[in-house]
Amino acid sequence: MRVLLVEDEAAIANFITEGLEEEGFAMDVAHNGKDGLRLALDNLPEYDLILLDWMLPGMSGIEICRAIRKESKTVPVIFLTAKDTVD
């Protein structure tokens, strides 16, 4: 299973990546919104799951998800956030 993680906090990205790789997942990581969107759109048929931080530099996780869905892509997306509420 191939997963894209888009997370700007290096410690969090490393923790998630190491844990999922130990479980046998192939991981790609981007540390800002623009790189995350580029990886997502360039490799969507290959991703089984995308993990998106809600707040990213360059472009938010919501904007990335909207762009993916605009391309009619139905890859599952899980949002990561430190927010205690969502508008």
Side-chain angles (χ1 to χ4, degrees):
M1 186 172 208
R2 188 167 177 197
V3 176
L4 171 61
L5 170 63
V6 187
E7 169 60 59
D8 61 321
E9 294 289 331
I12 294 171
N14 289 337
F15 177 77
I16 293 170
T17 299
E18 288 174 13
L20 291 176
E21 285 178 340
E22 285 178 12
E23 296 298 322
F25 292 88
M27 298 295 296
D28 291 332
V29 180
H31 296 285
N32 64 63
K34 290 181 181 182
D35 289 345
L37 179 60
R38 182 185 48 78
L39 280 173
L41 294 180
D42 287 351
N43 299 293
L44 265 179
E46 299 172 28
Y47 290 124
D48 299 295
L49 174 66
I50 298 176
L51 298 172
L52 280 177
D53 188 358
W54 191 275
M55 296 182 295
L56 293 160
M59 151 178 269
S60 75
I62 290 290
E63 291 172 303
I64 294 169
C65 187
R66 285 183 180 142
I68 291 168
R69 296 297 184 241
K70 186 176 178 181
E71 295 295 317
S72 299
K73 306 301 181 187
T74 59
V75 62
V77 173
I78 295 175
F79 280 96
L80 309 171
T81 183
K83 290 181 141 194
D84 60 354
T85 61
V86 178
D87 295 333

